[in-house]
Amino acid sequence: MIRPSLLAILLLAGCSQPEAAPDADPGRARRRVADCDRGLAHADCDAARARLAEARRRERMAAYAETMRESGS
């Protein structure tokens, strides 16, 4: 019983999509999302949207940190 379950877990883990790279190129993600929105691409659209959201979050945090440094707080 344990072996079939273990085999199923390994197969599912091997077939899943890779995690989005945290330092992926935001421009490439923007182009991929635009292609997805136009219907030109269907693969990895969710991963591209996740990378784009993470890149935007990092940009906001960097702008916030810069503002805090400039204000002296």
Side-chain angles (χ1 to χ4, degrees), residues 46-68:
D46 291 336
R49 284 186 174 90
R51 284 192 302 271
L52 183 56
E54 179 63 22
R56 287 178 175 162
R57 185 194 69 78
R58 272 190 258 125
E59 289 171 359
R60 284 192 308 271
M61 292 305 290
Y64 174 74
E66 182 64 28
T67 301
M68 293 306 288

Side-chain angles (χ1 to χ4, degrees), residues 25-35 48 52 55-56 59:
D25 178 25
R28 183 174 170 197
R30 281 186 188 96
R31 289 188 299 274
R32 185 61 166 184
V33 168
D35 288 346
L52 183 56
R56 287 178 175 162
E59 289 171 359

Side-chain angles (χ1 to χ4, degrees), residues 1-69:
M1 182 66 184
I2 293 175
R3 288 184 186 187
S5 299
L6 182 60
L7 179 61
I9 290 171
L10 291 174
L11 286 174
L12 288 174
C15 296
S16 64
Q17 287 186 345
E19 291 292 320
D23 49 337
D25 178 25
R28 183 174 170 197
R30 281 186 188 96
R31 289 188 299 274
R32 185 61 166 184
V33 168
D35 288 346
C36 291
D37 290 345
R38 287 192 303 256
L40 301 175
H42 300 289
D44 299 327
C45 289
D46 291 336
R49 284 186 174 90
R51 284 192 302 271
L52 183 56
E54 179 63 22
R56 287 178 175 162
R57 185 194 69 78
R58 272 190 258 125
E59 289 171 359
R60 284 192 308 271
M61 292 305 290
Y64 174 74
E66 182 64 28
T67 301
M68 293 306 288
R69 277 192 296 273

